[in-house]
Each structure stands twice: as structure tokens, then as C-alpha cells.
Amino acid sequence: MEMTPRQMMAFGKLYLAGGRVGDRQIVPADWVEESVVPRTRSSRSRRLYGYGWWIRELAGCVTYYAWGFG
């Protein structure tokens, strides 16, 4: 997926809002919740991975982030 930084920010805000934009549910709330449940662990970095999101603890807080190639 090729995205500009502004588009990436909008995507992140969509997930922070539980899949909603204004009054519209764009992504099902259940999917947003399920996407950040750890599903596997990277064999290289040992970091956890959900459905499209990396998951790790930073400064005592669980964080979720996208990390693409390039």
C-alpha cells in the first residue's frame, strides 16, 4: 500500500476512533479491536504482530504501529 504521510495519519486516526469517521462506521469496530491482538511473532525481531499492526511495549505502555518496507 503506497500512502503519503498525511494519508498514513488519517488511517491511524481512523483506527484510534474505533473505525469511525464522524457519524459513519468505516471499519467495523470488532475488526479494529481484533487487529491489535497479537497473532504471531517475527522470527527476525521477535516483535509481536496483529492484523497489520506491530505490537510492543515502550516506556511501560503497549503501542501499536505500522512499519512498512521503503
Side-chain angles (χ1 to χ4, degrees):
M1 187 175 346
E2 190 171 318
M3 299 169 77
T4 66
R6 194 167 296 205
Q7 290 167 327
M8 289 179 209
M9 186 174 69
F11 193 75
K13 287 173 88 174
L14 173 68
Y15 269 69
L16 284 172
R20 295 186 72 80
V21 174
D23 294 336
R24 294 187 62 198
Q25 189 72 41
I26 306 298
V27 178
D30 290 346
W31 174 259
V32 173
E33 290 178 28
E34 288 294 318
S35 71
V36 294
V37 172
R39 305 292 172 178
T40 191
R41 187 179 291 274
S42 168
S43 61
R44 295 167 91 189
S45 68
R46 306 302 301 154
R47 291 191 179 128
L48 295 170
Y49 192 71
Y51 294 147
W53 300 104
W54 291 98
I55 305 159
R56 71 183 289 196
E57 189 174 309
L58 292 171
C61 297
V62 177
T63 60
Y64 311 96
Y65 61 98
W67 186 15
F69 178 75

